[in-house]
Amino acid sequence: MKPTKREKRDLRPALIFLSGDLLAVPIPLEREEVVLGRALEADVRINDTRVSRRHARINAVAGENETTDYVLTDLTSSNGTLLNGQQIKSETLQHGDKITVGKHILRFEMLDEIDREYQREIRRLLSHDDLTGLLSSRSFFSEMRRESERAKQEKRPFCVLMMDIDHFKKVNDTYGHLTGSKTLEEIGLCITQNLRSGDAAARFGGEEFAAFLLDAELAQGLVAAERIRAEIENKRFSVIRQGKAFESHHITISIGVASFPDDSSDPIELVERADSALYHAKRAGRNRVCTYQDLNTEETHKTLSSRRD
């Protein structure tokens, strides 16, 4: 019996980030022209001050024997485009070539379906928390920086929620760490189920969580935060004994909310202000939602009272 010929692999071009916030992200090159740059409208957007708004482009051009070549061209960028360490104006890309734009390095690869799935899984492992499946804190900040820039340009609001489980240590001390881990997993699911498509949630480590809500005014952020708080307060969380759930326990969560651009237009500062609101909720008795504006109102009342006194 003659051996069958191997089927021709379905190879497709992609760029893989080897550094920066988008580490291991595979970007498929599906268009005839793909622009790399800092501008919001760039096809491959790179948040780096050393990258020009339109830095470089990759064009798909007809090659020999019905093949397609991919040509990298520098778009007269301020800091130049490097290919395998050499500055170029225009060069045809080969599998494995490394492109440097600003501080970021990308590798050009021809991937089959198995390769593409592998890259997606690597990215998922790097960008998500293993226990809850939510974004890692690093990925959360990366996503939020991109969304805040888009929000600035399009003049759209969004809200940040910082969340911390109340007295979580008591869960571990009373029921053990298996129950503690299961509780974190179930809380992550509660948060996800109460967000809209397009919103994002993250685990910041330990028992602290965060989320940002796109196109959300402060009032909408408060509604979402209260919905999360109430569901967790009323939920029966699993207690794990010898690998099985035999009973349940209750727990609560405190949440701080800050809004863009009213509380801040800087994404890092916005998280800090939501965090300040969170700790205000903790000090006020836990199991409640507070906003950064609540802190300002309270300080105003204190100032007015001291003046009257």
Side-chain angles (χ1 to χ4, degrees):
M1 182 176 179
K2 291 183 179 180
T4 58
K5 291 183 179 180
R6 291 183 180 177
E7 293 183 7
K8 188 176 179 180
R9 293 192 299 165
D10 177 23
L11 296 176
R12 300 181 189 178
L15 295 175
I16 311 293
F17 276 85
L18 301 184
S19 62
D21 291 338
L22 297 173
L23 178 67
V25 173
I27 310 293
L29 300 176
E30 297 173 337
R31 301 181 182 178
E32 291 185 2
E33 178 176 293
V34 173
V35 173
L36 289 69
R38 200 178 73 251
L40 284 174
E41 60 271 17
D43 300 301
V44 179
R45 187 165 177 274
I46 302 172
N47 189 21
D48 181 344
T49 55
R50 291 180 54 82
V51 174
S52 298
R53 290 179 58 77
R54 288 174 55 86
H55 195 101
R57 71 167 179 257
I58 297 174
N59 290 98
V61 298
E64 298 179 357
N65 302 320
E66 298 182 352
T67 60
T68 301
D69 289 334
Y70 295 89
V71 179
L72 172 68
T73 303
D74 180 72
L75 299 177
T76 63
S77 62
S78 300
N79 294 299
T81 300
L82 303 183
L83 182 63
N84 299 323
Q86 300 295 317
Q87 190 161 336
I88 59 100
K89 290 185 177 179
S90 186
E91 292 287 341
T92 299
L93 293 169
Q94 304 295 327
H95 176 76
D97 278 348
K98 296 177 181 64
I99 303 164
T100 303
V101 288
K103 296 179 291 185
H104 288 71
I105 302 173
L106 304 90
R107 186 171 61 223
F108 174 79
E109 294 193 3
M110 300 297 294
L111 305 178
D112 62 18
E113 180 54 39
I114 294 174
D115 292 328
R116 293 193 289 274
E117 182 57 37
Y118 171 75
Q119 289 294 343
R120 286 192 287 267
E121 182 63 15
I122 289 293
R123 173 58 183 169
R124 189 192 67 77
L125 292 172
L126 288 172
S127 62
H128 289 74
D129 173 60
D130 286 345
L131 181 63
T132 62
L134 303 181
L135 291 174
S136 65
S137 58
R138 176 177 176 172
S139 296
F140 178 82
F141 278 113
S142 175
E143 292 289 333
M144 196 175 67
R145 278 194 292 267
R146 281 199 294 275
E147 289 302 332
S148 66
E149 290 189 26
R150 185 175 289 114
K152 285 178 187 176
Q153 181 158 322
E154 299 175 3
K155 294 182 172 55
R156 294 188 291 115
F158 70 88
C159 285
V160 172
L161 277 55
M162 291 297 292
M163 299 167 271
D164 191 80
I165 305 171
D166 300 325
H167 302 299
F168 181 69
K169 183 177 182 298
K170 190 181 293 184
V171 175
N172 285 327
D173 291 346
T174 304
Y175 302 107
H177 289 279
L178 284 177
T179 295
S181 294
K182 184 64 175 176
T183 300
L184 291 171
E185 183 182 348
E186 291 177 343
I187 284 177
L189 183 59
C190 280
I191 292 169
T192 301
Q193 289 176 337
N194 282 283
L195 297 179
R196 304 162 304 172
S197 175
D199 297 339
R203 182 185 174 205
F204 267 34
E207 59 268 28
E208 194 168 28
F209 295 82
F212 65 78
L213 284 60
L214 301 178
D215 292 313
E217 304 277 1
L218 180 60
Q220 295 168 292
L222 277 169
V223 169
E226 178 58 28
R227 192 164 56 235
I228 292 168
R229 187 208 64 77
E231 177 159 334
I232 289 172
E233 180 185 32
N234 295 318
K235 182 175 174 59
R236 300 172 70 87
F237 288 93
S238 304
V239 173
I240 307 300
R241 304 286 192 195
Q242 298 179 337
K244 297 181 180 181
F246 288 103
E247 51 187 305
S248 62
H249 72 95
H250 292 278
I251 202 163
T252 60
I253 195 166
S254 299
I255 304 177
V257 185
S259 63
F260 172 97
D262 293 339
D263 293 328
S264 178
S265 57
D266 177 80
I268 304 301
E269 189 174 54
L270 199 63
V271 169
E272 290 173 350
R273 292 187 170 178
D275 205 44
S276 296
L278 164 62
Y279 283 97
H280 181 66
K282 290 281 193 183
R283 291 191 299 270
R286 296 182 170 85
N287 189 26
R288 65 192 63 210
V289 176
C290 288
T291 73
Y292 182 72
Q293 292 180 16
D294 292 336
L295 277 69
N296 294 335
T297 302
E298 187 173 288
E299 288 301 317
T300 301
H301 286 321
K302 285 181 179 178
T303 303
L304 290 173
S305 296
S306 65
R307 285 176 181 172
R308 284 195 294 268
D309 293 341

